[in-house]
Amino acid sequence: MLREPLGVLGISLVLLVVLGAVFADFLASADPSKISPRNRFSSPGFEHLAGTDQLGRDLFSRVLHGGQIALAVALGSTAVSLLIGMVLGLIAGYGPRWLDNLLILVFDAMKSFPTVMLALALVTLFGPSLTAVVVVVILVNVPGYARIIRTQTIALKSAEYVTAAQSMGASTARVLRVHILPNVIGPLLILASMDIPVVIAIEAGMSFLGLGVRPPTPSWGAILNDGFANIRESYWIVVAGGIPIILTTLGFTFLGETLRDVFDPRLKGR
Amino acid sequence: MSVLSVNGLTVSFTTDGGTLTALRDVSFDIPDQRIVGVVGESGCGKSTLINAILGLLADNGRIDAGSVLFQNDRELTRLGDSDMRALRGQRISTVFQDPMGALNPVLSVGHQMINVQYRSGRSKAEKIARAVEMLRKVRIPDADTALSRYPHQFSGGMKQRIAIAMALMMEPALLIADEPTTALDATLEVATIELLKELQRDIGCSVLFISHHLGVIAELCDEVIVMYAGEVVERGTTRQVFNDPRHPYTFRLLDCDPARQHQRVRHLPTIPGEIPDLRRRPEGCIFAARCHRVHYACMRTPPVTEVGNGHAARCWLAGNPETVKVTA
Amino acid sequence: MSGAPVLEVDGVEVTFPVNRPLLRPFGRPHSIKGVAGVSFEVKRGETFALVGESGSGKTTLARAINGLQPVSAGSVTFEGQRIDGLGRAEMKLHRRRMAMMFQDPIGSLSPRQTVGELVTEAFRIHGSEGRDMRAETARLLSLVGLPLDFADRYPHQLSGGQARRVGVARAIAFNPVLVVADEPTAGLDVSVQGEVLNLLNDLRERLGLAMVIITHNLHVVRHVADRMAVMYLGRFVETGKTEAIFSEPSHPYTAALLSANPEPDPDKARDRISLPAEVPSLLARPSGCEFHTRCPWAREICRSTPPPASERAGRVLTCHFPLGPGEHPPERIGL
């Protein structure tokens, strides 16, 4: 994997973002929420590496702490989606036919909601919050994940080694855990890693629209929104919000593509 | 005159673990109107041989040395892509183990049988007549109506016969048959072999017949090539090779076939060991590690020793049949 | 070879539902019989072979014995207890005493388990109280003649013969009394087939196993089986001692199968019984004797009346006109 230049770039970018988020408190030169009216719209410099925003908050510190939110939402909600999608997919694929049909109906119904509509509907229910973002991401991701697992489970259900395990008296749980899951999870992990940038974009997008994280909590989307509102006064706020989003999504995309090539060499160069 | 003449063919593949020599110094002739069988176990290079002849080696494979001469005038290893395509399916055709590899599931049998003749210059009516004629020859019932049916409407045995009919439609000079009967039941297998023999006589083509089934080879083929780990270890007429094997591998392989033991035996003979790693070919004789007659001379690669009219084996003991047959 | 049979199969039928197009509700049956009433028994230390071409129902029968396929009529008795129709939990107790081997040597091994995990899977399923897994792995690998360092390999790193050995080790892990092996030599090179058959023969003797071997390869049957049954369209057409059937097949189908096995001898005169046409569909079983559509000896009565099963010197046969010694068909009929 380290032989792929894109993979190395992807890993480096992801590491950069992760380290920045993990050591945010240590690296940040100031409190990300501290308002300082005297320092409004300071341009980037020694004191404020990325400048300050309309309330005089240090943008560099806000970006670092925003990374924590972005990664927590992305990784957390992806992990939960994976888990739910995996379980539902295994049930649909291995369980009785009627249950499969029912679950497929549910997946299709969920998939047919446009993301934005879904987000708006949930925000009216929960109010703008991190929870709303996470629930949106889960609802968007689960049907796709479950379908992938379901299809592969159906294909493997009649594999000889599965029949062999059944003939030895293995329980359904064991068959699923030992013989099916390890052989179907690979493609899903790759897909999920390529979905992380999408999730980050959803979080940023919802926060940008004011449907996500509540101020003053720093979020890249919220920073971008601040910059957008004050684009006449300063350009650096938009830059501070945009650059991390671009770098993170690029990083995870490269990483995902490299993972796919490594795990499935047949797709290489296609 | 020979239809195909392979000389010193050496083919290697670039793999992650190094260069893999899949064929080394392979030489044999397919004479006119003869059926030549290739016998060998997994890893012997049968598939590589077919692909090398057809110019269909994978991207990481290359021909290092040797020549493949078709009908004494075309050197297949240097033929361009379009010339090769013109040859494949017309002058050299193929039948594989799975007939569905040759049949397109969404096109009717007739459609495909007419398509095969696109270089023939025949009229549509002639093409249809020819297709029906071929289906009759391979004993498809109701040949006229069969043309409008689709592959899945035929049984496995019939599909394979249709694939054979398609392969022989253009009366090729050479038919390459790669385990065409392996997937069939025993009763169908023998019927298909008999059919193949009959068609070969009818059309007057040569056949390169690849099989791991010694009984099928013995029954169908005029001549045999025995391959082991990418090398031809013995060749000759079927009688020469089966009745008087001169390479220890041939001898042991024949011995292993349970069909040769007419009485129930306590222990069936086997050849212990595995084929060598072709990325690290051992020095000397390729079979030495598993051979019951191995001796110091085997540290050097044995020459191909001619022991009779067209009968040759790559073994130091080839001229000494009694020694070969002594089991350890 | 004495005592009560380990396995008794009595009149077993297995039916499959058929999906019918809605508009064609008449004429064709709602279900087909993959296995249509077969009976046999296997004793300790004995090998019984089920022989037949594809679609004869031999694999379905094996699955029915193991409870992977429900039995619709008849009974399966294992070690004196009826096991057909048992629930999963009750069946589990019997499954540790009854091992199955499947056709594909590599495909029947879970691709992401190591050989060590694979051979000890039975202990993980049925409990491993007081067992040392490493010692068990070593014991099983040495029983099937594989070096211990194979324990860390994955199935794709094995040759067909090695994978088959792992399959055998897996099957005998829990000291079963019965092994059901579906095409144990399928996909193996000739030089390796003997190894696997010798191994199975050895283990049967050493461990006193009863074995059921399912195969289409008659040459294999001759060397491993004590008794055999020839299956056609889900029924036994001939059952008896292997040696006797080989030396004197009585059912025309058996005779045809035996003659359809090319021998590696170019000088051998081919005196072959060619079977016309192909195996009929289970959806449209022929009338009378179900083999009459392909039988070179078929007469009028064969088309109308099913032959009764007759027994003669330990041989059970369903044919109106059993063959005498060395009898040949009245005329050769091609494909």
Side-chain angles (χ1 to χ4, degrees), chain C:
Chain C
M1 265 186 237
S2 58
V6 172
L7 176 73
E8 288 172 82
V9 171
D10 189 24
V12 162
E13 288 187 9
V14 178
T15 51
F16 299 103
V18 179
N19 274 338
R20 293 169 307 152
L22 283 175
L23 296 176
R24 224 182 341 138
F26 303 106
R28 294 204 154 177
H30 300 245
S31 63
I32 54 169
K33 278 185 188 164
V35 177
V38 301
S39 308
F40 67 94
E41 52 179 58
V42 192
K43 296 194 182 75
R44 243 180 101 78
E46 187 188 37
T47 302
F48 185 77
L50 292 170
V51 180
E53 297 183 285
S54 46
S56 62
K58 52 193 197 304
T59 297
T60 309
L61 178 54
R63 293 174 58 99
I65 292 170
N66 188 262
L68 290 169
Q69 190 80 55
V71 170
S72 50
S75 67
V76 179
T77 309
F78 178 60
E79 295 190 293
Q81 284 175 285
R82 264 193 79 160
I83 57 165
D84 51 289
L86 286 188
R88 188 194 280 268
E90 294 154 294
M91 195 64 202
K92 186 174 168 181
L93 296 174
H94 295 289
R95 280 184 167 148
R96 44 193 268 187
R97 314 263 307 150
M98 175 200 295
M100 296 245 334
M101 283 171 58
F102 293 84
Q103 281 190 34
D104 185 342
I106 294 171
S108 54
L109 303 179
S110 203
R112 282 175 204 252
Q113 281 189 298
T114 62
V115 168
E117 286 164 358
L118 286 164
V119 296
T120 52
E121 179 158 29
F123 304 123
R124 287 172 226 278
I125 292 172
H126 296 292
S128 56
E129 307 84 30
R131 279 177 206 266
D132 173 359
M133 286 300 184
R134 293 175 61 91
E136 290 293 340
T137 308
R139 174 181 73 94
L140 290 165
L141 288 182
S142 81
L143 263 179
V144 297
L146 285 176
L148 187 57
D149 61 321
F150 269 59
D152 298 323
R153 296 205 189 177
Y154 286 92
H156 70 262
Q157 296 169 313
L158 305 175
S159 71
Q162 292 163 347
R164 194 33 106 202
R165 283 168 181 271
V166 172
V168 174
R170 237 160 102 79
I172 58 171
F174 228 96
N175 293 328
V177 291
L178 173 71
V179 172
V180 180
D182 192 355
E183 300 281 5
T185 57
L188 298 182
D189 281 323
V190 182
S191 66
V192 183
Q193 283 183 12
E195 270 180 36
V196 172
L197 296 175
N198 291 342
L199 175 65
L200 286 174
N201 264 340
D202 274 357
L203 292 172
R204 179 192 50 166
E205 262 176 28
R206 266 207 277 174
L207 311 175
L209 297 172
M211 296 217 307
V212 176
I213 286 188
I214 296 152
T215 184
H216 68 279
N217 188 340
L218 279 162
H219 296 308
V220 164
V221 172
R222 167 179 260 158
H223 297 289
V224 294
D226 303 298
R227 288 187 304 122
M228 63 185 276
V230 178
M231 273 186 103
Y232 189 73
L233 294 182
R235 296 184 213 275
F236 287 175
V237 295
E238 183 163 7
T239 319
K241 282 209 158 44
T242 308
E243 305 260 349
I245 289 182
F246 267 81
S247 59
E248 199 185 303
S250 295
H251 195 285
Y253 182 60
T254 315
L257 275 186
L258 283 174
S259 80
N261 259 278
E263 285 182 29
D265 183 352
D267 296 321
K268 194 171 162 79
R270 313 281 172 203
D271 210 356
R272 180 160 294 154
I273 306 165
S274 296
L275 293 183
E278 307 203 4
V279 184
S281 157
L282 288 172
L283 284 165
R285 285 177 174 273
S287 62
C289 171
E290 290 177 342
F291 186 58
H292 86 254
T293 53
R294 301 174 76 201
C295 183
W297 287 271
R299 301 186 210 168
E300 201 43 52
I301 186 174
C302 305
R303 291 180 187 92
S304 55
T305 318
S310 61
E311 187 166 350
R312 179 181 70 171
R315 191 98 70 94
V316 182
L317 193 69
T318 38
C319 180
H320 287 298
F321 306 104
L323 302 180
E327 197 173 328
H328 292 293
E331 59 185 59
R332 302 279 301 265
I333 306 168
L335 194 65

